[in-house]
Amino acid sequence: MGPMTLEIPDHLFTAIDHVGMAVPDLDEAIAFYRDTFGMTLAHEETNQEQGVREAMMAVGESGSHVQLLAPLSEESTIAKFIGRNGPGCQQVAYRVIDVEQVSAILRERGLRLLYDAPKRGTSDSRINFVHPKDAGGVLVELVEPAASAAH
């Protein structure tokens, strides 16, 4: 272990960043989470690369969010997920200090990551995913928040 790994906590993850929900209609889902659960819309964007329209719904003042993910096309990963499983929980995302370092540690522990290098996530975060077959059937996302968003 070199000096670079000292900044990474033994527990690797610093918080649950968000839980991703696959939804067929983003506007309907935003209204439901707002009007029924009292969550507020913190952020909304379209991510062409991931094939989604998405919204981050703030869970109180916790800093955690529910991410609503709606497909942009029938070919998108989220559309395929909904086709296979119906709407529902699609991913759990953990906040990390350094996505490359944590990815390297998880690879050393025998896990497959979906990307060789991190990609851009919501609000310019940097992300990678652990293969669900290596994480008990759950798609695990690693999120390094953009420097401007770090708490």
Side-chain angles (χ1 to χ4, degrees):
M1 290 279 213
M4 283 300 291
T5 54
L6 295 177
E7 296 170 37
I8 304 297
D10 288 341
H11 47 75
L12 297 184
F13 304 150
T14 61
I16 293 178
D17 189 84
H18 63 269
V19 177
M21 301 294 179
V23 301
D25 182 305
L26 190 68
D27 298 318
E28 257 177 47
I30 289 170
F32 175 79
Y33 278 80
R34 182 189 62 223
D35 301 342
T36 310
F37 293 151
M39 294 184 193
T40 52
L41 176 63
H43 178 78
E44 193 179 336
E45 74 179 69
T46 297
N47 186 327
Q48 295 288 349
E49 187 186 17
Q50 303 283 342
V52 294
R53 256 186 86 211
E54 58 171 277
M56 286 292 198
M57 304 298 291
V59 183
E61 304 296 317
S62 66
S64 295
H65 294 86
V66 172
Q67 180 185 43
L68 305 174
L69 298 157
L72 286 175
S73 74
E74 290 306 311
E75 288 73 56
S76 78
T77 308
I78 291 294
K80 290 174 182 153
F81 178 92
I82 292 171
R84 229 179 14 252
N85 307 290
C89 188
Q90 184 262 343
Q91 54 165 267
V92 178
Y94 297 101
R95 205 170 296 147
V96 299
I97 292 168
D98 182 320
V99 70
E100 276 97 351
Q101 286 284 338
V102 172
S103 296
I105 292 165
L106 294 176
R107 283 189 187 102
E108 280 171 17
R109 295 179 183 177
L111 302 186
R112 288 170 291 170
L113 280 90
L114 297 193
Y115 309 137
D116 292 332
K119 295 197 177 196
R120 182 197 169 279
T122 309
S123 300
D124 290 324
S125 59
R126 299 167 68 239
I127 63 169
N128 207 334
F129 293 91
V130 176
H131 197 293
K133 288 196 167 74
D134 294 351
V138 178
L139 180 62
V140 171
E141 183 178 356
L142 309 175
V143 178
E144 179 188 326
S148 61
H151 313 316

